[in-house]
Coordinates of all heavy atoms in Angstrom, one line a residue:
M1 N -17.3 11.7 3.3 CA -17.0 10.3 3.3 C -15.5 10.1 3.1 O -14.9 10.8 2.3 CB -17.7 9.7 2.0 CG -17.5 8.2 1.9 SD -18.6 7.2 3.0 CE -19.9 6.8 1.9
K2 N -14.9 9.2 3.8 CA -13.5 8.9 3.7 C -13.3 7.4 3.4 O -14.1 6.6 3.9 CB -12.7 9.3 4.9 CG -12.7 10.8 5.2 CD -11.7 11.1 6.3 CE -11.8 12.6 6.7 NZ -10.7 12.9 7.7
T3 N -12.3 7.1 2.7 CA -12.0 5.7 2.4 C -10.6 5.3 2.9 O -9.6 6.1 2.6 CB -12.1 5.4 0.9 OG1 -13.4 5.8 0.4 CG2 -11.9 4.0 0.5
M4 N -10.5 4.3 3.6 CA -9.2 3.8 4.1 C -9.2 2.3 3.8 O -10.2 1.6 3.7 CB -9.0 4.0 5.6 CG -8.9 5.5 5.9 SD -8.7 5.7 7.7 CE -7.0 5.3 8.0
T5 N -8.0 1.7 3.7 CA -7.9 0.3 3.4 C -7.8 -0.5 4.8 O -7.3 0.1 5.8 CB -6.7 -0.1 2.5 OG1 -5.5 0.3 3.2 CG2 -6.8 0.6 1.2
C6 N -8.1 -1.7 4.8 CA -8.0 -2.6 5.9 C -6.5 -2.5 6.4 O -6.2 -2.4 7.6 CB -8.3 -4.0 5.4 SG -8.0 -5.3 6.6
R7 N -5.6 -2.5 5.4 CA -4.1 -2.5 5.8 C -3.7 -1.2 6.5 O -3.0 -1.2 7.5 CB -3.3 -2.7 4.5 CG -1.8 -3.0 4.8 CD -1.1 -3.4 3.5 NE -1.5 -4.7 3.0 CZ -2.0 -4.9 1.8 NH1 -2.3 -4.0 1.0 NH2 -2.4 -6.1 1.5
E8 N -4.3 -0.1 6.1 CA -4.0 1.2 6.7 C -4.5 1.2 8.2 O -4.0 1.9 9.0 CB -4.7 2.4 6.0 CG -4.0 2.8 4.7 CD -4.8 3.8 4.0 OE1 -6.0 3.7 3.7 OE2 -4.2 4.9 3.7
L9 N -5.5 0.4 8.4 CA -6.1 0.3 9.8 C -5.5 -0.8 10.6 O -6.1 -1.2 11.6 CB -7.6 0.2 9.7 CG -8.3 1.4 9.1 CD1 -9.7 1.1 8.6 CD2 -8.3 2.6 10.1
G10 N -4.4 -1.4 10.1 CA -3.7 -2.4 10.9 C -4.1 -3.8 10.5 O -3.7 -4.8 11.2
G11 N -4.9 -4.0 9.5 CA -5.3 -5.3 9.1 C -4.4 -5.8 8.0 O -3.5 -5.2 7.5
P12 N -4.7 -7.1 7.6 CA -3.8 -7.8 6.6 C -4.2 -7.7 5.2 O -3.5 -8.2 4.3 CB -3.9 -9.2 7.1 CG -5.3 -9.4 7.7 CD -5.7 -8.0 8.2
C13 N -5.3 -7.1 4.8 CA -5.7 -7.1 3.4 C -5.9 -5.6 2.8 O -5.8 -4.7 3.6 CB -6.9 -7.9 3.1 SG -8.5 -7.1 3.4
G14 N -6.1 -5.5 1.5 CA -6.1 -4.2 0.9 C -7.6 -3.7 0.6 O -7.8 -2.8 -0.2
E15 N -8.5 -4.4 1.2 CA -9.9 -4.0 1.0 C -10.2 -2.6 1.4 O -9.8 -2.1 2.5 CB -10.9 -5.0 1.7 CG -12.3 -4.7 1.4 CD -13.2 -5.9 1.5 OE1 -12.8 -7.0 1.2 OE2 -14.4 -5.7 2.0
A16 N -10.9 -1.8 0.6 CA -11.3 -0.4 0.9 C -12.5 -0.4 1.7 O -13.5 -1.0 1.4 CB -11.4 0.4 -0.4
L17 N -12.5 0.4 2.8 CA -13.6 0.6 3.7 C -14.0 2.1 3.7 O -13.1 2.9 3.9 CB -13.3 0.1 5.1 CG -12.8 -1.3 5.3 CD1 -12.3 -1.5 6.7 CD2 -13.9 -2.3 4.9
S18 N -15.2 2.5 3.6 CA -15.6 3.9 3.6 C -16.6 4.2 4.7 O -17.4 3.3 5.1 CB -16.4 4.2 2.3 OG -15.5 4.0 1.2
A19 N -16.4 5.4 5.3 CA -17.3 5.8 6.4 C -17.4 7.3 6.4 O -16.5 8.0 5.9 CB -16.8 5.2 7.7
E20 N -18.4 7.8 7.1 CA -18.6 9.2 7.2 C -17.9 9.8 8.4 O -17.4 10.9 8.4 CB -20.1 9.5 7.4 CG -21.0 9.3 6.2 CD -20.8 10.3 5.1 OE1 -20.1 11.4 5.4 OE2 -21.2 10.1 4.0
T21 N -17.8 9.0 9.5 CA -17.2 9.4 10.7 C -16.2 8.4 11.3 O -16.3 7.2 10.9 CB -18.3 9.6 11.8 OG1 -18.9 8.4 12.1 CG2 -19.3 10.7 11.4
W22 N -15.4 8.8 12.2 CA -14.4 7.9 12.7 C -15.1 6.7 13.5 O -14.7 5.5 13.3 CB -13.4 8.6 13.6 CG -12.5 7.8 14.4 CD1 -12.4 7.7 15.8 CD2 -11.5 6.8 13.9 NE1 -11.4 6.8 16.1 CE2 -10.9 6.2 15.0 CE3 -11.1 6.4 12.6 CZ2 -9.9 5.2 14.9 CZ3 -10.1 5.4 12.5 CH2 -9.5 4.9 13.6
P23 N -16.1 7.0 14.4 CA -16.7 5.8 15.0 C -17.4 4.8 14.1 O -17.3 3.6 14.3 CB -17.8 6.5 15.9 CG -17.4 7.9 16.1 CD -16.6 8.3 14.9
D24 N -17.9 5.4 12.9 CA -18.4 4.5 11.9 C -17.4 3.7 11.3 O -17.6 2.5 11.0 CB -19.1 5.5 10.9 CG -20.2 4.8 10.1 OD1 -20.9 4.0 10.8 OD2 -20.4 5.1 8.9
M25 N -16.2 4.3 11.0 CA -15.1 3.5 10.5 C -14.6 2.4 11.4 O -14.3 1.3 11.0 CB -13.9 4.5 10.1 CG -12.7 3.8 9.5 SD -13.1 3.0 8.0 CE -12.7 4.2 6.7
V26 N -14.6 2.8 12.7 CA -14.1 1.8 13.7 C -15.1 0.6 13.6 O -14.7 -0.6 13.6 CB -14.1 2.4 15.1 CG1 -13.9 1.3 16.2 CG2 -13.0 3.4 15.2
R27 N -16.4 0.8 13.5 CA -17.4 -0.2 13.5 C -17.2 -1.1 12.2 O -17.3 -2.3 12.2 CB -18.8 0.3 13.5 CG -19.5 0.1 14.8 CD -21.0 0.5 14.7 NE -21.2 1.8 14.1 CZ -21.2 2.9 14.8 NH1 -21.1 2.9 16.1 NH2 -21.4 4.1 14.2
R28 N -17.0 -0.4 11.1 CA -16.8 -1.1 9.8 C -15.6 -2.0 9.8 O -15.6 -3.1 9.4 CB -16.6 -0.1 8.7 CG -17.9 0.1 7.9 CD -17.8 1.3 7.0 NE -19.2 1.9 7.0 CZ -20.1 1.7 6.1 NH1 -19.8 0.9 5.1 NH2 -21.3 2.2 6.2
M29 N -14.5 -1.4 10.4 CA -13.2 -2.2 10.4 C -13.4 -3.4 11.4 O -13.0 -4.5 11.0 CB -12.1 -1.3 10.9 CG -10.7 -2.0 11.0 SD -10.2 -2.7 9.5 CE -8.6 -3.4 10.0
T30 N -14.1 -3.2 12.5 CA -14.3 -4.3 13.5 C -15.1 -5.4 12.8 O -14.7 -6.5 12.9 CB -15.0 -3.7 14.7 OG1 -14.3 -2.7 15.3 CG2 -15.2 -4.8 15.7
D31 N -16.2 -5.0 12.1 CA -17.0 -6.0 11.4 C -16.2 -6.7 10.4 O -16.3 -8.0 10.2 CB -18.3 -5.4 10.8 CG -19.3 -4.9 11.8 OD1 -19.1 -5.2 13.0 OD2 -20.2 -4.1 11.4
H32 N -15.4 -6.0 9.6 CA -14.7 -6.5 8.5 C -13.6 -7.5 9.1 O -13.5 -8.6 8.5 CB -13.9 -5.4 7.7 CG -12.9 -5.9 6.8 ND1 -13.2 -6.4 5.5 CD2 -11.6 -6.0 6.9 CE1 -12.1 -6.8 4.9 NE2 -11.1 -6.5 5.7
V33 N -13.0 -7.2 10.1 CA -11.9 -8.0 10.7 C -12.6 -9.3 11.3 O -12.0 -10.4 11.1 CB -11.1 -7.3 11.8 CG1 -10.3 -8.2 12.6 CG2 -10.2 -6.2 11.1
I34 N -13.7 -9.2 12.0 CA -14.3 -10.3 12.6 C -14.8 -11.3 11.5 O -14.6 -12.5 11.5 CB -15.5 -9.9 13.5 CG1 -15.0 -9.2 14.7 CG2 -16.4 -11.1 13.8 CD1 -16.0 -8.5 15.6
A35 N -15.3 -10.7 10.4 CA -15.8 -11.5 9.3 C -14.7 -12.2 8.4 O -14.9 -13.3 7.9 CB -16.7 -10.7 8.4
N36 N -13.6 -11.5 8.3 CA -12.6 -11.9 7.3 C -11.2 -12.4 7.9 O -10.5 -13.1 7.3 CB -12.3 -10.8 6.3 CG -13.5 -10.4 5.5 OD1 -13.9 -11.1 4.6 ND2 -14.1 -9.4 5.9
H37 N -10.9 -11.8 9.1 CA -9.6 -12.1 9.6 C -9.7 -12.5 11.1 O -9.4 -11.7 12.0 CB -8.7 -10.9 9.5 CG -8.7 -10.2 8.2 ND1 -8.3 -10.8 7.0 CD2 -9.0 -8.9 7.9 CE1 -8.5 -10.0 6.0 NE2 -8.9 -8.8 6.5
P38 N -10.2 -13.7 11.4 CA -10.4 -14.1 12.8 C -9.1 -14.0 13.6 O -9.2 -13.6 14.8 CB -10.8 -15.6 12.7 CG -11.0 -15.9 11.3 CD -10.6 -14.7 10.4
D39 N -7.9 -14.3 13.0 CA -6.6 -14.2 13.8 C -6.4 -12.7 14.2 O -5.9 -12.4 15.3 CB -5.5 -14.7 13.0 CG -5.5 -16.2 12.8 OD1 -6.4 -16.9 13.5 OD2 -4.8 -16.8 12.0
T40 N -6.6 -11.8 13.2 CA -6.4 -10.4 13.5 C -7.4 -9.9 14.6 O -7.0 -9.1 15.4 CB -6.5 -9.6 12.2 OG1 -5.6 -10.1 11.2 CG2 -6.2 -8.1 12.4
A41 N -8.6 -10.4 14.5 CA -9.6 -10.0 15.4 C -9.2 -10.4 16.8 O -9.3 -9.6 17.8 CB -10.9 -10.7 15.1
K42 N -8.6 -11.6 17.0 CA -8.1 -12.0 18.3 C -6.9 -11.1 18.8 O -6.9 -10.8 19.9 CB -7.6 -13.5 18.1 CG -8.2 -14.4 19.1 CD -7.8 -15.9 18.9 CE -8.7 -16.6 18.0 NZ -8.1 -17.9 17.5
E43 N -6.0 -10.8 17.9 CA -4.9 -9.9 18.2 C -5.4 -8.5 18.7 O -4.9 -7.9 19.6 CB -4.0 -9.6 17.0 CG -2.9 -10.7 16.8 CD -2.3 -10.6 15.5 OE1 -2.0 -9.4 15.0 OE2 -2.0 -11.6 14.8
M44 N -6.4 -8.0 18.0 CA -7.0 -6.7 18.3 C -7.7 -6.8 19.6 O -7.7 -5.8 20.4 CB -7.9 -6.2 17.2 CG -7.2 -5.7 16.0 SD -8.3 -5.0 14.8 CE -7.1 -4.3 13.6
E45 N -8.4 -7.9 19.9 CA -9.0 -8.1 21.2 C -8.0 -8.1 22.3 O -8.2 -7.4 23.4 CB -9.8 -9.4 21.2 CG -10.9 -9.4 22.3 CD -11.6 -10.7 22.4 OE1 -11.6 -11.5 21.4 OE2 -12.1 -11.0 23.5
T46 N -6.9 -8.8 22.1 CA -5.8 -8.8 23.1 C -5.3 -7.4 23.4 O -5.1 -7.0 24.5 CB -4.7 -9.7 22.7 OG1 -5.3 -11.0 22.4 CG2 -3.6 -9.9 23.7
M47 N -5.1 -6.7 22.3 CA -4.5 -5.3 22.3 C -5.5 -4.4 23.1 O -5.2 -3.6 23.9 CB -4.3 -4.8 20.9 CG -3.5 -3.5 20.8 SD -3.9 -2.5 19.3 CE -2.7 -3.2 18.2
H48 N -6.8 -4.6 22.8 CA -7.9 -3.8 23.4 C -7.9 -4.1 24.9 O -8.1 -3.1 25.7 CB -9.2 -4.1 22.8 CG -10.3 -3.2 23.3 ND1 -10.5 -1.9 22.7 CD2 -11.2 -3.4 24.2 CE1 -11.5 -1.4 23.4 NE2 -12.0 -2.2 24.3
N49 N -7.8 -5.3 25.3 CA -7.8 -5.7 26.7 C -6.6 -5.1 27.5 O -6.7 -4.8 28.6 CB -7.9 -7.2 26.9 CG -9.2 -7.8 26.5 OD1 -10.2 -7.1 26.4 ND2 -9.3 -9.1 26.1
D50 N -5.5 -5.0 26.7 CA -4.3 -4.5 27.3 C -4.4 -3.0 27.5 O -4.0 -2.5 28.5 CB -3.2 -4.8 26.3 CG -1.8 -5.0 27.0 OD1 -1.8 -5.6 28.0 OD2 -0.8 -4.6 26.4
D51 N -4.8 -2.3 26.4 CA -4.9 -0.8 26.4 C -6.0 -0.5 25.4 O -5.8 -0.4 24.2 CB -3.6 -0.2 26.0 CG -3.7 1.3 26.0 OD1 -4.7 1.9 26.2 OD2 -2.6 1.9 25.6
P52 N -7.2 -0.2 25.9 CA -8.4 0.1 25.1 C -8.2 1.3 24.1 O -8.9 1.4 23.1 CB -9.5 0.4 26.0 CG -9.1 -0.2 27.3 CD -7.6 -0.2 27.3
E53 N -7.2 2.2 24.5 CA -7.0 3.4 23.7 C -6.0 3.2 22.6 O -5.9 4.0 21.6 CB -6.5 4.5 24.6 CG -7.3 4.7 25.8 CD -8.3 5.8 25.7 OE1 -7.8 7.0 25.6 OE2 -9.5 5.5 25.7
K54 N -5.2 2.1 22.7 CA -4.0 2.0 21.8 C -4.3 2.0 20.3 O -3.8 2.8 19.6 CB -3.3 0.7 22.1 CG -1.9 0.6 21.5 CD -1.2 -0.7 22.0 CE 0.3 -0.7 21.6 NZ 0.4 -1.1 20.2
W55 N -5.3 1.2 19.9 CA -5.6 1.1 18.4 C -6.1 2.4 17.9 O -5.6 2.9 16.9 CB -6.6 0.0 18.2 CG -6.8 -0.3 16.7 CD1 -6.1 -1.1 15.9 CD2 -7.9 0.2 16.0 NE1 -6.6 -1.1 14.7 CE2 -7.8 -0.3 14.7 CE3 -9.0 1.0 16.3 CZ2 -8.7 0.0 13.6 CZ3 -9.9 1.3 15.2 CH2 -9.7 0.8 13.9
G56 N -7.0 3.0 18.6 CA -7.6 4.3 18.2 C -6.5 5.4 18.1 O -6.5 6.2 17.2
K57 N -5.6 5.4 19.2 CA -4.6 6.4 19.2 C -3.6 6.3 18.0 O -3.2 7.3 17.4 CB -3.7 6.3 20.5 CG -4.1 7.3 21.6 CD -3.1 7.2 22.7 CE -3.8 7.0 24.0 NZ -3.0 6.4 25.0
E58 N -3.4 5.0 17.6 CA -2.5 4.8 16.4 C -3.2 5.1 15.1 O -2.6 5.6 14.2 CB -2.0 3.4 16.4 CG -0.9 3.2 17.5 CD -0.4 1.7 17.5 OE1 -0.7 0.9 16.5 OE2 0.2 1.3 18.5
M59 N -4.5 4.7 15.0 CA -5.2 4.8 13.7 C -5.9 6.1 13.5 O -6.0 6.5 12.3 CB -6.2 3.6 13.6 CG -5.6 2.3 13.8 SD -4.2 2.0 12.6 CE -3.4 0.6 13.4
R60 N -6.3 6.8 14.5 CA -7.1 8.0 14.3 C -6.4 9.1 13.5 O -7.0 9.7 12.7 CB -7.6 8.5 15.7 CG -8.4 9.8 15.5 CD -9.6 9.9 16.3 NE -10.5 10.9 15.8 CZ -11.6 11.3 16.3 NH1 -12.1 10.7 17.3 NH2 -12.3 12.3 15.8
P61 N -5.1 9.3 13.8 CA -4.4 10.3 13.0 C -4.4 10.0 11.5 O -4.4 10.9 10.7 CB -2.9 10.3 13.6 CG -3.1 9.7 15.0 CD -4.2 8.8 14.9
K62 N -4.3 8.7 11.2 CA -4.4 8.3 9.8 C -5.8 8.7 9.2 O -5.9 9.2 8.0 CB -4.2 6.8 9.6 CG -2.8 6.4 10.0 CD -2.6 5.0 9.5 CE -1.5 4.3 10.3 NZ -1.4 2.9 9.8
W63 N -6.8 8.5 10.0 CA -8.1 8.9 9.6 C -8.2 10.4 9.3 O -8.7 10.9 8.3 CB -9.2 8.4 10.6 CG -10.5 9.1 10.5 CD1 -10.9 10.2 11.2 CD2 -11.6 8.8 9.6 NE1 -12.2 10.6 10.8 CE2 -12.6 9.7 9.9 CE3 -11.8 7.7 8.7 CZ2 -13.9 9.6 9.2 CZ3 -13.0 7.7 8.0 CH2 -14.0 8.6 8.3
E64 N -7.7 11.1 10.3 CA -7.7 12.6 10.2 C -6.9 13.1 9.0 O -7.3 14.1 8.4 CB -7.1 13.2 11.5 CG -7.7 12.9 12.8 CD -9.1 13.4 13.0 OE1 -9.5 14.3 12.1 OE2 -9.8 13.0 13.9
S65 N -5.9 12.4 8.6 CA -5.1 12.9 7.5 C -5.5 12.4 6.2 O -5.0 12.7 5.1 CB -3.6 12.6 7.7 OG -3.4 11.2 7.7
T66 N -6.5 11.5 6.2 CA -7.1 11.0 4.9 C -8.1 12.0 4.4 O -8.9 12.5 5.1 CB -7.9 9.7 5.2 OG1 -7.0 8.7 5.7 CG2 -8.5 9.2 3.9
P67 N -7.9 12.4 3.1 CA -8.8 13.4 2.5 C -10.2 12.9 2.3 O -10.4 11.7 2.1 CB -8.1 13.8 1.2 CG -7.3 12.7 0.9 CD -6.9 12.0 2.1
E68 N -11.2 13.8 2.4 CA -12.6 13.5 2.1 C -12.7 13.1 0.6 O -12.0 13.7 -0.2 CB -13.5 14.7 2.3 CG -13.6 15.2 3.7 CD -14.6 14.4 4.5 OE1 -15.5 13.8 3.9 OE2 -14.6 14.5 5.8
N69 N -13.5 12.1 0.3 CA -13.7 11.9 -1.2 C -15.1 11.9 -1.6 O -16.0 12.2 -0.8 CB -13.0 10.6 -1.6 CG -13.4 9.3 -0.8 OD1 -14.4 9.4 0.0 ND2 -12.7 8.2 -0.9
Ligands
ZN101 ZN1 -9.1 -7.0 5.6

């Protein structure tokens, strides 16, 4: 299990999100952003339409370097 904050994943708040795997974390962050930050969700959608790999490429190394807890 790893824990990262919304902010570490490019979001605007400090809420901690935990997941077992990277795809799971992506889902959690996506749900969290849609539920709490509609403006950020829109920005991420635009970014995704522009380059579907961009967010993952930027955020995945942070996931990899986060220690298991
Ligand atoms: Zn947040």
Side-chain angles (χ1 to χ4, degrees):
M1 184 80 97
K2 296 186 184 190
T3 303
M4 294 177 76
T5 62
C6 175
R7 194 171 289 120
E8 284 176 306
L9 292 164
C13 83
E15 185 156 321
L17 306 168
S18 299
E20 291 289 346
T21 63
W22 172 242
D24 208 32
M25 181 58 94
V26 172
R27 254 190 310 271
R28 261 165 216 265
M29 180 57 180
T30 304
D31 290 349
H32 170 79
V33 165
I34 290 168
N36 298 282
H37 315 300
D39 289 350
T40 307
K42 236 177 269 169
E43 277 168 37
M44 284 185 171
E45 197 187 335
T46 306
M47 194 203 269
H48 186 84
N49 290 338
D50 209 40
D51 178 0
E53 312 261 291
K54 190 174 189 282
W55 186 82
K57 259 188 232 156
E58 285 177 15
M59 301 307 160
R60 178 139 194 180
K62 295 193 202 175
W63 163 264
E64 301 293 349
S65 64
T66 298
E68 296 274 344
N69 57 9

